[in-house]
């Protein structure tokens, strides 16, 4: 759920951001885009909607991943596409929190997503994963391969298991049938190392999720080091960064752990961070299908190099000399090592002996000085009798290449940053919305979608509706309530108003909230000021999403299947609430938290509608 805010950037800024990520020979020029197959559950920074909320439901226009894949493909038709589920809709498990009890159902569900990508968006998915960072099931993987083949999807490759090198490598060596259907072993955060069993399988080895580090200079150093050393130390021929672009509220988990930052659609501000320019050193001068030359890429004075060729005479060498303290990734811990300035001499042999000059691109990450030089073209190097030497300082990246195509784009400066508008309204009155979700609302449990209320003749034809009515097969600790957050985490005093419509009789309920202080994988422990009304005619004020810390309760007269207006006013240490414009409770003392987002949500996984949302902070 990391590209949530990207979709509602205005043009031309949205296209500029996409160009920086995907346009060849422009910015990051990415080779691979891996997306979540939304499963209605919390997957780190929010929930992504499933293409099948319910068993009899199929819709290939929800969420933003279809759009993102199409935008990537439009800029680079050769980009490789990967799909991987984190969560699954509850019906897949028939009540159990497990996707493998009915493997035929799960395989049908995943293959539907691949077929839908092609049928509705003309997208070819190249690789499909099993279940992100959770157990794999050999029977399911074999059935998935069978189901893919049955639907003419022989070209879709299977990657497993997006967790650790083991037990998947060991199982592949024992089970020849499984060995025949898994094409790539994908490990997460391998720390540039692999294991003997993985090498013994003779499979392609990928770091299928890595980086996840704050995108400052140290993040760039981490990325430079692992892009090389995942191959040099671990024989991995692909490294995939989580995440593409930090387009989610920064105070959610792992804020700004993207290659670039675009978390302000309301202002148009974005930032092309240093990791983008580190990426370019590899991506602009190699392509999928190029081969690593099998040389020992450790440099004597510390640091590393890799060399790749297209097999047609082109050669690209990428060198990095990142020091320990300037290249620590978020995980795993990095053992100490030292890097010193050095002179390195390279010898080109075989068909490369004929190479006369190499183009040179250079980056220096400036930590103490604070001024980095990123992706600058230097004078070409003359190769004399198959060799050349280079003086390497610390914290540098060099690309030496026969290709003359490299370029650093010049784009206009984006607008300056602005906080989220302090007066924000959404009436959800949009007949043909470009996306299924309303802008800036970031669902943290459940899924909130635009809805056309055909039965309502009045003011509430177009609403926002919570649509997940069964707890999903979870990946994280989703709340027992549904919740969508919006706004500025720094907000202290605020008035939140929203029309609400409880659909579930007897035990249904909804809330509006302010000062909400947690989301993502920590959503269960969210605190704030929550104003609840229930179908049984009662209300509550609680200081937590779980509804356990009750500050006030009483009768409201609210009923299900009728519209009511809730207003929550928080000033300093005091809060009050109105129902349909009349005071319902007041002077409730608030001790914590001191600030946070606004939010809406429901008591359980139930249908409910919201309209005319307004926050003034």
């Amino acid at each position: 759920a990391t590209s949530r805010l990207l979709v509602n950037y205005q043009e031309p800024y949205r296209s500029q951001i996409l160009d920086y990520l995907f346009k060849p020979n422009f910015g990051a020029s990415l080779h691979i885009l891996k997306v979540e197959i939304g499963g209605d559950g919390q997957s780190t920074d929010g929930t992504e909607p499933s293409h099948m909320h319910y068993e009899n439901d199929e819709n290939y226009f929800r969420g933003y991943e279809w759009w993102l894949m199409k935008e990537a493909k439009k800029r680079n038709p050769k980009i490789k596409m990967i799909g991987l589920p984190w969560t699954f809709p509850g019906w897949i498990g028939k009540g159990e929190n497990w996707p493998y009890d009915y493997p035929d159902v799960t395989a049908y569900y995943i293959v539907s997503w691949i077929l839908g990508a092609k049928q509705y968006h003309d997208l070819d998915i190249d690789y499909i994963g099993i279940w992100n960072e959770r157990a794999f099931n050999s029977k399911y993987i074999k059935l998935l391969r069978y189901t893919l083949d049955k639907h003419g999807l022989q070209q879709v490759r299977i990657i497993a298991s997006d967790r650790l090198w083991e037990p998947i490598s060991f199982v592949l060596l024992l089970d020849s049938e499984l060995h025949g259907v898994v094409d790539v072993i994908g490990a997460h955060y391998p720390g540039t190392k692999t294991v003997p069993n993985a090498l013994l399988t003779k499979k392609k080895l990928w770091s299928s999720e890595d980086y996840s580090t704050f995108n400052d200079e140290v993040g760039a150093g981490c990325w430079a080091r692992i892009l090389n050393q995942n191959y040099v130390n671990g024989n991995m021929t692909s490294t995939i960064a989580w995440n593409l672009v930090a387009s989610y509220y920064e105070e959610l988990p792992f804020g700004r752990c993207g290659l670039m930052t675009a978390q302000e659609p309301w202002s148009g501000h974005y930032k092309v961070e240093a990791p983008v320019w580190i990426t370019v050193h590899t991506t602009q001068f190699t392509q999928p299908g190029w081969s690593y030359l099998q040389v020992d890429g450790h440099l004597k004075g510390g640091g590393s190099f890799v060399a790749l060729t297209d097999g047609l005479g082109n050669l690209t060498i990428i060198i990095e000399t990142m020091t320990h303290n300037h290249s620590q990734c978020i995980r795993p811990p990095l053992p100490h090592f030292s890097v010193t300035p050095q002179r390195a001499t390279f010898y080109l042999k075989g068909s490369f002996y004929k190479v006369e000059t190499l183009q040179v691109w250079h980056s220096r990450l400036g930590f103490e000085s604070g001024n980095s030089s990123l992706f600058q073209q230097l004078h070409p190097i003359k190769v004399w009798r198959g060799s050349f030497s280079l003086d390497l300082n610390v914290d540098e990246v060099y690309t030496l290449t026969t290709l003359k195509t490299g370029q650093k784009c010049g784009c206009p400066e984006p607008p300056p940053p602005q906080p989220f508008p302090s007066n924000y309204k959404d009436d959800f009155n949009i007949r043909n919305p470009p996306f299924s979700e309303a802008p800036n609302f970031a669902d943290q449990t459940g899924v909130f979608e635009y809805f056309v209320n055909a039965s309502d003749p009045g003011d509430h034809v177009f609403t926002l509706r919570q649509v997940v009515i069964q707890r999903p097969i979870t990946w994280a600790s989703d709340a027992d309530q549904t919740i969508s957050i919006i706004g500025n985490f720094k907000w202290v005093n605020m008035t939140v108003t929203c029309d609400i419509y409880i659909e579930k009789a007897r035990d249904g309920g909804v809330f509006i909230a302010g000062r909400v202080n947690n989301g993502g994988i920590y959503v269960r422990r969210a605190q704030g000021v929550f104003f609840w009304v229930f179908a049984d005619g009662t209300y509550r004020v609680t200081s937590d999403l779980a509804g356990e810390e009750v500050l006030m309760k009483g009768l409201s007269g609210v009923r299900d299947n009728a519209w009511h207006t809730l207003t929550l006013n928080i000033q300093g240490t005091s809060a009050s609430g109105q129902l349909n414009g009349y005071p319902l409770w007041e002077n409730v003392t608030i001790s914590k938290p001191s600030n946070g987002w606004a939010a809406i949500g429901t008591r359980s996984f139930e249908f409910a509608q919201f309209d005319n949302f307004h926050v003034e902070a």
Side-chain angles (χ1 to χ4, degrees):
T2 50
S3 12
R4 176 68 197 96
L5 298 173
L6 179 60
V7 297
N8 46 291
Y9 267 80
Q10 298 299 302
E11 295 297 347
Y13 311 117
R14 190 172 74 173
S15 288
Q16 289 170 6
I17 295 162
L18 292 162
D19 285 348
Y20 274 118
L21 294 169
F22 299 119
K23 192 174 168 184
N25 292 325
F26 186 83
S29 311
L30 296 168
H31 294 169
I32 294 180
L33 174 60
K34 177 175 182 175
V35 303
E36 175 179 350
I37 299 175
D40 295 339
Q42 173 61 246
S43 53
T44 295
D45 285 300
T47 64
E48 292 203 30
S50 170
H51 58 291
M52 299 174 82
H53 291 316
Y54 329 109
E55 208 163 343
N56 58 354
D57 163 64
E58 276 185 78
N59 181 325
Y60 297 94
F61 296 91
R62 294 187 181 125
Y64 35 86
E65 301 292 12
W66 309 109
W67 168 83
L68 186 62
M69 287 190 281
K70 282 191 290 194
E71 293 294 329
K73 205 81 171 170
K74 194 158 83 184
R75 287 165 174 80
N76 177 7
K78 295 210 283 260
I79 196 164
K80 299 290 178 194
M81 297 286 177
I82 310 180
L84 175 67
W86 269 243
T87 70
F88 300 85
W91 61 268
I92 297 256
K94 304 196 182 181
E96 295 296 317
N97 196 32
W98 192 245
Y100 301 133
D101 287 343
Y102 305 92
D104 51 328
V105 175
T106 308
Y108 163 77
Y109 168 81
I110 293 296
V111 170
S112 298
W113 184 86
I114 299 173
L115 291 169
K118 183 64 177 171
Q119 184 180 341
Y120 296 98
H121 304 286
D122 198 26
L123 290 164
D124 293 301
I125 304 301
D126 298 288
Y127 296 89
I128 196 76
I130 306 307
W131 187 14
N132 183 67
E133 291 173 358
R134 297 292 176 264
F136 67 90
N137 174 290
S138 299
K139 182 183 169 187
Y140 166 70
I141 297 176
K142 293 169 191 174
L143 195 61
L144 177 61
R145 178 76 269 164
Y146 171 79
T147 313
L148 286 165
D149 293 349
K150 196 174 80 179
H151 288 90
L153 296 168
Q154 288 82 359
Q155 79 286 359
V156 179
R157 302 276 160 225
I158 290 177
I159 177 166
S161 68
D162 281 293
R163 197 175 188 177
L164 302 170
W165 294 118
E166 299 291 15
I168 184 68
S169 300
F170 180 65
V171 174
L172 285 178
L173 293 172
L174 289 181
D175 182 337
S176 60
E177 191 191 344
L178 190 67
H179 191 279
V181 301
V182 171
D183 298 278
V184 177
I185 303 178
H188 286 196
Y189 306 95
T192 78
K193 307 281 199 292
T194 187
V195 300
N197 278 344
L199 293 167
L200 282 172
T201 65
K202 300 276 196 276
K203 295 288 179 191
K204 285 191 165 71
L205 308 183
W206 289 10
S207 175
S208 55
E209 185 181 317
D210 218 326
Y211 176 66
S212 192
T213 300
F214 190 78
N215 60 20
D216 59 6
E217 256 66 12
V218 175
C222 150
W223 186 227
R225 180 175 55 78
I226 65 179
L227 273 176
N228 266 18
Q229 296 193 21
N230 277 346
Y231 178 75
V232 172
N233 299 331
N235 224 34
M236 289 166 260
T237 55
S238 174
T239 296
I240 302 177
W242 188 91
N243 54 67
L244 172 73
V245 51
S247 291
Y248 47 101
Y249 291 115
E250 190 174 331
E251 297 82 6
L252 285 167
F254 308 106
R256 269 188 57 189
C257 289
L259 296 178
M260 64 180 283
T261 306
Q263 56 191 17
E264 283 191 24
W266 47 88
S267 72
H269 179 73
Y270 62 85
K271 191 157 181 246
V272 186
E273 308 282 3
V276 164
W277 300 117
I278 294 302
T279 310
V280 175
H281 276 280
T282 297
T283 51
Q284 280 199 18
F285 307 104
T286 61
Q287 283 304 316
W290 282 46
S291 301
Y292 282 92
L293 298 179
Q294 295 183 28
V295 293
D296 179 357
H298 296 96
L299 292 167
K300 280 217 174 65
S304 68
F305 74 94
V306 291
L308 297 99
T309 182
D310 60 355
L312 304 170
N314 281 306
L315 172 68
T316 292
I317 300 167
I318 304 137
I319 304 165
E320 61 78 28
T321 57
M322 295 302 136
T323 54
H324 178 274
N325 290 1
H326 292 162
S327 69
Q328 284 175 289
C329 304
I330 197 167
R331 67 180 81 86
L334 183 62
H336 186 74
F337 61 87
S338 61
V339 182
T340 51
Q342 58 193 307
R343 165 163 272 209
T345 301
F346 291 82
Y347 298 91
L348 306 186
K349 300 196 170 163
S351 59
F352 299 127
Y353 184 80
K354 296 197 285 286
V355 172
E356 291 177 2
T357 53
L358 290 168
Q359 306 301 312
V360 182
W361 292 84
H362 172 253
S363 291
R364 186 192 68 252
L365 295 172
F367 292 89
E368 278 71 27
S369 66
N371 59 349
S372 294
S373 155
L374 295 170
F375 195 56
Q376 299 298 324
Q377 189 162 20
L378 306 183
H379 286 294
I381 278 189
K382 291 271 178 270
V383 182
W384 196 70
R385 290 195 181 167
S387 84
F388 63 90
S389 296
L390 204 56
D391 287 313
L392 305 174
N393 216 321
V394 299
D395 296 328
E396 292 189 317
V397 182
Y398 278 92
T399 300
L400 314 167
T401 179
T402 54
L403 298 179
K404 296 190 165 76
T405 47
Q407 49 180 301
K408 187 172 184 179
C409 66
C411 250
E413 278 290 295
Q418 301 275 345
F420 191 95
S422 55
N423 190 340
Y424 184 84
K425 284 185 175 134
D426 195 338
D427 60 12
F428 312 118
N429 289 0
I430 178 163
R431 194 170 287 278
N432 293 305
F435 294 99
S436 58
E437 301 160 295
N440 303 317
F441 279 93
D443 306 347
Q444 300 301 315
T445 297
V447 170
F448 295 72
E449 292 179 351
Y450 283 122
F451 182 65
V452 179
N453 205 341
S455 61
D456 192 299
D459 305 331
H460 299 292
V461 178
F462 298 101
T463 66
L464 194 68
R465 190 186 198 205
Q466 199 296 117
V467 296
V468 179
I469 54 174
Q470 181 183 2
R471 187 174 180 82
I473 295 174
T474 55
W475 180 79
S477 301
D478 297 44
D480 298 321
Q481 305 73 23
T482 73
I483 177 171
S484 190
I485 60 169
I486 190 168
N488 185 340
F489 188 79
K490 298 184 178 73
W491 280 346
V492 176
N493 298 329
M494 63 184 90
T495 302
V496 183
T497 303
C498 195
D499 299 342
I500 61 94
Y501 186 91
I502 301 170
E503 295 189 47
K504 190 182 183 194
R506 291 183 303 285
D507 56 353
V510 304
F511 69 82
I512 64 171
R515 290 192 191 169
V516 176
N517 72 346
N518 242 321
I521 47 179
Y522 309 120
V523 63
R524 276 187 86 83
R525 54 176 106 139
Q527 295 173 302
V529 183
F530 296 81
F531 174 15
W532 308 77
V533 290
F534 303 110
D536 65 4
T538 63
Y539 78 88
R540 277 189 176 195
V541 185
T542 69
S543 61
D544 60 335
L545 174 62
E548 285 161 6
E549 299 165 32
V550 180
L551 305 173
M552 177 76 111
K553 60 182 183 175
L555 295 174
S556 69
V558 164
R559 53 194 173 81
D560 58 271
N561 291 288
W563 283 97
H564 302 275
T565 303
L566 302 186
T567 304
L568 170 64
N569 185 5
I570 310 171
Q571 300 292 330
T573 56
S574 175
S576 61
Q578 294 182 333
L579 174 64
N580 300 327
Y582 294 97
L584 182 63
W585 51 275
E586 42 204 356
N587 298 330
V588 168
T589 303
I590 310 301
S591 54
K592 59 177 183 185
S594 55
N595 57 282
W597 297 290
I600 56 175
T602 65
R603 177 190 213 167
S604 66
F605 289 98
E606 62 187 274
F607 285 126
Q609 292 176 57
F610 302 84
D611 204 359
N612 299 316
F613 176 85
H614 181 199
V615 58
E616 221 170 325

